[in-house]
Amino acid sequence: MATTLIRGGTVVSATGRASADVLIDGETIVAVLAPGSALLGTDIAASVDTVIDATGKYVIPGGIDAHTHMQLPFGGTAASDTFETGTRAAAWGGTTTIVDFAVQRTGERVEEGLAHWHELADGQCAIDYGFHQIIGGVDEQSLIALPKLVDEGITSFKLFMAYPGVFYSDDGQVLQAMQSSAATGMLTMMHAENGPAIDVLAAQLADAGKKAPYYHGIARAWQLEEEATHRAIMLANVTGAPLYVVHVSAKQAVQQLAWARDQGWNVFGETCPQYLYLSLEEQLGAFSREWGQFEGAKWVCSTPLRSRAEGHQDHMWQALRTNDLQMVSTDHCPFCMKGQKELGRDDFRAIPNGIGSIEHRMDLMYQGVVTGKLTLERWVELTSTTPARMFGMYGRKGVIQPGADGDIVIYDPNGHTSIGYGKTHHMNMDYSAWEGFEVDGHVDTVLSRGKVIVDDGRYLGTKGDGRFVRRGLSQYLS
């Protein structure tokens, strides 16, 4: 098996940083050594197959994006990234593992939905991948199927308090699914928005002629995210189930999570780059010569972008510092403007919900280090180590230590990344939601299980490099 030595860099973990050399044998890290160490009794650099010089750069565990939606059917179309294109874009951005969502909708069998997602991903992925299971129809059959997922390496499932008629579960269904979660140790993931109330508000806005993308954010008011978050927390507490709230965007929802965590409850939350950087006023309310007021459709997602004037973005950064939010994922669910987003040109309710970010998460979060919003160690913790722990992969993923997979990113703090369509853009979509963003850092080299897949602006991976990751139960529960 091939051996690789990464030398001269600063190895960064969730708990500290140190100058160290990393030795990989085949797919696995076998040693983390002091620079120039002769501990192994030989000149390591002279005896390995490949030496990678990381002088002046950070050596970090590969990023883990634990919330993606490749090829997700939505609103009469499907997310534009396939497992092939989406995972290749992830690799370009320093993400070496994703956890996508297998889908079961009302009236479908969980087993069939999972089998279909395996078919979509098998042999297509550039990086390693796992699955959560969406339970869009809580019924007798799905409740029987849930505990069996653990043996398949799928130890988390997602419920929706939104999207009536598609994925929606009422409180009684949520309670039943959470009871199963409590019994098995599986992690319940929740899309926490009051869907029935949102639908009423959206219809009232449309009837009043307010159909531009901006009103997507008005219909999905922060009060309806806060209310649903609190309701999910209380249902989880009644059942004893651990709860993970996805794509938190409202500062009031964060406050609900913080309150529950202060009680010592197993309640967790993630946010996404769009809720840290983008806003209702600037993006959903955008105007362009090409699209007019429909320009804002580029940033229609759910939960929606929040008002900057209300301070939601600043509060999200604060919550990441205080661990009231534990992770940053992307909720990557891209759609092209032409032929997809424009399905809702006459009514915001018909705009497919989603933003493409999988390529840019590591860079965008590193910019938070540059601006002093995060420490270097917290960057690694939020984007790699905690996702691995939260979703049962730690030890193999999320850390640079002997026995771990050789998933490593060499990041240049003196480099620069200009984001935009035609610049840094490998996602299968016809625009960039991050057009014009500048990052004071650069992903130089990416290794996936010991194989260099990105290096010096070249993609060296191949379709099928990625393997399915059978996950254990969460390692983050108290």
Side-chain angles (χ1 to χ4, degrees):
M1 300 179 75
T3 51
T4 301
L5 179 69
I6 302 171
R7 68 176 181 181
T10 299
V11 175
V12 183
S13 74
T15 56
R17 68 190 85 171
S19 297
D21 296 342
V22 181
L23 180 62
I24 302 171
D25 184 9
E27 298 186 347
T28 306
I29 297 168
V30 293
V32 180
L33 302 162
S37 172
L39 183 64
L40 300 183
T42 184
D43 180 356
I44 299 174
S47 63
V48 298
D49 297 300
T50 303
V51 176
I52 299 174
D53 184 8
T55 301
K57 302 175 184 179
Y58 299 131
V59 180
I60 64 171
I64 300 172
D65 191 343
H67 187 158
T68 69
H69 293 289
M70 307 301 175
Q71 298 174 244
L72 176 72
F74 193 98
T77 184
S80 56
D81 260 326
T82 64
F83 278 94
E84 179 182 0
T85 64
T87 57
R88 186 169 61 230
W92 274 104
T95 288
T96 56
T97 305
I98 65 167
V99 190
D100 204 80
F101 286 85
V103 177
Q104 176 248 356
R105 289 173 289 197
T106 302
E108 298 176 345
R109 298 182 69 244
V110 171
E111 297 88 346
E112 291 172 356
L114 176 57
H116 179 57
W117 241 252
H118 273 297
E119 290 170 4
L120 291 174
D122 185 36
Q124 302 299 309
C125 295
I127 56 176
D128 288 354
Y129 64 97
F131 292 139
H132 311 289
Q133 179 68 54
I134 286 176
I135 304 296
V138 179
D139 55 26
E140 184 177 354
Q141 280 193 331
S142 60
L143 290 171
I144 292 171
L146 264 179
K148 300 176 183 178
L149 292 173
V150 176
D151 294 333
E152 302 291 327
I154 297 166
T155 55
S156 46
F157 63 90
K158 183 180 180 182
L159 302 174
F160 289 79
M161 291 173 152
Y163 305 126
V166 183
F167 291 129
Y168 173 75
S169 294
D170 64 29
D171 289 354
Q173 292 171 314
V174 169
L175 182 78
Q176 289 178 289
M178 284 182 168
Q179 287 173 332
S180 177
S181 173
T184 60
M186 296 180 76
L187 187 59
T188 300
M189 307 174 74
M190 184 64 72
H191 180 132
E193 289 186 290
N194 189 320
I198 287 168
D199 284 358
V200 170
L201 290 176
Q204 290 172 345
L205 287 165
D207 289 345
K210 297 177 178 179
K211 298 183 178 181
Y214 176 83
Y215 294 101
H216 170 82
I218 301 303
R220 308 185 88 95
W222 63 257
Q223 290 92 337
L224 303 181
E225 183 182 351
E226 180 187 25
E227 181 276 330
T229 301
H230 178 76
R231 188 157 34 101
I233 289 168
M234 300 314 293
L235 289 169
N237 184 248
V238 166
T239 60
L243 173 67
Y244 178 95
V245 180
V246 299
H247 51 52
V248 178
S249 65
K251 64 181 181 180
Q252 295 85 356
V254 174
Q255 290 162 358
Q256 293 294 324
L257 295 171
W259 171 80
R261 290 178 55 75
D262 286 347
Q263 315 308 307
W265 300 351
N266 275 318
V267 173
F268 315 104
E270 70 173 22
T271 193
C272 308
Q274 53 265 34
Y275 307 124
L276 297 165
Y277 285 102
L278 309 179
S279 75
L280 171 72
E281 299 94 338
E282 296 156 302
Q283 276 73 40
L284 280 180
F287 181 92
S288 71
R289 181 172 296 180
E290 179 181 7
W291 294 102
Q293 286 187 322
F294 194 67
E295 176 76 5
K298 293 178 178 178
W299 298 280
V300 165
C301 60
S302 296
T303 53
L305 305 183
R306 299 294 178 192
S307 169
R308 192 174 301 281
E310 294 175 353
H312 297 280
Q313 295 79 5
D314 289 342
H315 196 90
M316 293 297 135
W317 284 110
Q318 176 182 310
L320 292 176
R321 289 192 296 274
T322 60
N323 208 42
D324 290 331
L325 293 173
Q326 291 72 47
M327 282 174 47
V328 178
S329 304
T330 59
D331 190 12
H332 178 77
C333 192
F335 297 96
C336 294
M337 281 292 277
K338 294 180 180 177
Q340 292 193 300
K341 291 277 191 178
E342 66 180 351
L343 291 171
R345 190 153 195 171
D346 298 324
D347 189 337
F348 70 84
R349 293 174 295 177
I351 300 171
N353 284 210
I355 290 179
S357 300
I358 198 168
E359 185 171 351
H360 307 310
R361 181 184 65 118
M362 298 295 288
D363 282 324
L364 291 168
M365 296 313 299
Y366 180 75
Q367 191 63 22
V369 178
V370 173
T371 57
K373 293 181 173 68
L374 301 173
T375 66
L376 192 61
E377 290 81 4
R378 185 63 172 160
W379 173 52
V380 170
E381 187 174 15
L382 291 167
T383 58
S384 182
T385 304
T386 294
R389 291 181 62 202
M390 189 71 71
F391 294 110
M393 296 180 283
Y394 185 75
R396 179 178 174 186
K397 306 289 186 185
V399 64
I400 296 176
Q401 67 181 22
D405 285 349
D407 297 346
I408 291 177
V409 174
I410 300 173
Y411 198 88
D412 185 1
N414 297 309
H416 188 83
T417 303
S418 295
I419 302 177
Y421 192 76
K423 297 178 184 177
T424 306
H425 187 90
H426 298 89
M427 298 170 288
N428 186 32
M429 50 192 299
D430 60 3
Y431 73 97
S432 174
W434 301 96
E435 192 70 43
F437 273 69
E438 303 289 336
V439 175
D440 296 313
H442 187 266
V443 174
D444 278 6
T445 305
V446 180
L447 293 86
S448 174
R449 297 198 324 278
K451 176 181 177 178
V452 176
I453 58 174
V454 173
D455 185 52
D456 193 25
R458 297 171 297 153
Y459 181 71
L460 305 175
T462 58
K463 181 174 72 171
D465 279 341
R467 296 178 187 165
F468 177 68
V469 178
R470 296 174 64 90
R471 298 183 293 111
L473 295 174
S474 177
Q475 297 153 291
Y476 206 81
L477 306 184
S478 60

